[in-house]
Amino acid sequence: MGKGDDAHACPYRVDRKSCQVFDGRPIDSLALEIHQPDPVVRALMAANFANWSAAIARCFDAALGRTPPGTDAKALGELVPMVMEGAAMRARTFCNIGYFDCNFAVLRDYITMLLATAKRDSFARSCWRGERG
């Protein structure tokens, strides 16, 4: 998927005209609607977030051979939903999809940088071992 495709594939995109999030998925919708949720609701929201973060962390776990040593898949699994939620909240607040697009682009660039760093470091290590190609 190319950079231009993200805008059409992502359910967090905000409709420029209505300032509504497609699909209504963001957790912030629920959090904003419920003031001081009761413990049961809070526990369900926490479980939702934990499951979402864990699913993303599994994706990063699967890519650990392509990321720098020491990459924390669990932390990245928590970072991604926070960026997505924050970006959706900002886009809604300002009725401007540009906030979402900018935050999403920074996240994408960060992940791309992690992958490129690991590839560069791997190449450098192979050069030192005499495995030049």
Side-chain angles (χ1 to χ4, degrees), residues 5 17-18 21 24 29-30 33 43 45 49 51 57-58 60 62-63 85-86 92-93 96 106 111 121-122 127 129-130:
D5 297 330
K17 293 178 183 150
S18 67
V21 173
S29 295
L30 185 57
E33 291 173 15
M45 290 171 65
F49 176 72
N51 290 335
R58 285 191 299 274
F60 283 109
E85 290 295 325
R92 269 196 193 135
T93 299
N96 183 337
V106 171
I111 293 167
D121 291 351
S122 175
C127 287
R129 290 187 305 248

Side-chain angles (χ1 to χ4, degrees), residues 8-77:
H8 302 291
C10 185
Y12 284 81
R13 292 279 301 184
V14 175
D15 182 344
R16 294 173 203 255
K17 293 178 183 150
S18 67
C19 294
Q20 298 298 312
V21 173
F22 300 145
D23 264 347
R25 287 188 197 170
I27 295 171
D28 72 276
S29 295
L30 185 57
L32 289 173
E33 291 173 15
I34 301 174
H35 180 348
Q36 292 298 329
D38 66 47
V40 173
V41 173
R42 205 171 23 255
L44 291 171
M45 290 171 65
N48 183 34
F49 176 72
N51 290 335
W52 187 17
S53 296
I56 294 168
R58 285 191 299 274
C59 293
F60 283 109
D61 276 334
L64 282 181
R66 298 181 301 152
T67 58
T71 297
D72 187 340
K74 184 177 185 288
L76 288 170

